[in-house]
Amino acid sequence: MYNYSRLATLLQKYEAEVENGKYPKLPRITEIDFTLLDENEEHTIVDYLWKFDDILDDFYACFDENSQLISSNFKPHLVVAYLRQFCKVLSSFYSRYHVLGRNLSHLLPIMHVRIYLIKAVKIVLLKLFKILNIEPLEQM
């Protein structure tokens, strides 16, 4: 919950700074150079984002269209373990790298790619919370 709240706050701050003119608007995703994500923590986050499809597939394979459990293979502890490990990586990333920095043209591309990374993480966290029936907090 803490990681989600931190990321949500960061995205809110970015949007407010765009409104205030401190930062330019986020470019379209097709204009983003994702090869700029070259730090180990960034690669690990991307790996976790890719693994999320497997988590979803395993989870939804256990339920029918009416959300009734149809398989004894349902293992919620695996969802929680994934979430816990993912949050460790997010904490490490967040403490080591500044996402919002100075509005300098040479720094904007890395800021923008990290904003998109955080947006993707936030979507995954929201889906995990929904699976676990947790109401997320935007601020703590």
Side-chain angles (χ1 to χ4, degrees), residues 25-86:
K25 288 178 63 173
L26 193 61
R28 294 185 349 209
I29 198 164
T30 56
E31 299 170 15
I32 297 297
D33 180 6
F34 285 94
T35 64
L36 294 173
L37 295 174
D38 62 357
E39 301 296 339
N40 282 340
E41 287 87 353
E42 293 166 337
H43 287 192
T44 305
I45 289 169
V46 170
D47 288 344
Y48 270 91
L49 293 173
W50 281 112
K51 290 176 190 175
F52 182 63
D53 274 345
D54 294 335
I55 295 289
L56 281 181
D57 289 345
D58 292 346
F59 177 77
Y60 287 118
C62 296
F63 295 90
D64 66 14
E65 63 275 355
N66 297 319
S67 300
Q68 297 297 313
L69 186 64
I70 58 172
S71 171
S72 62
N73 292 332
F74 178 54
K75 298 177 179 129
H77 67 281
L78 296 178
V79 176
V80 173
Y82 169 88
L83 180 59
R84 192 183 85 233
Q85 289 301 115
F86 191 27

Side-chain angles (χ1 to χ4, degrees), residues 89-133:
V89 172
L90 293 172
S91 289
S92 176
F93 167 78
Y94 193 85
S95 66
R96 290 188 69 184
Y97 303 101
H98 294 283
V99 175
L100 302 180
R102 296 173 55 194
N103 184 1
L104 301 172
S105 61
H106 70 284
L107 297 177
L108 290 176
I110 190 67
M111 181 179 71
H112 288 149
V113 74
R114 286 178 174 162
I115 293 290
Y116 271 108
L117 181 65
I118 288 170
K119 285 177 172 260
V121 166
K122 185 178 176 197
I123 290 168
V124 166
L125 290 177
L126 281 172
K127 289 182 180 187
L128 285 165
F129 291 154
K130 185 173 182 176
I131 288 170
L132 298 170
N133 200 26

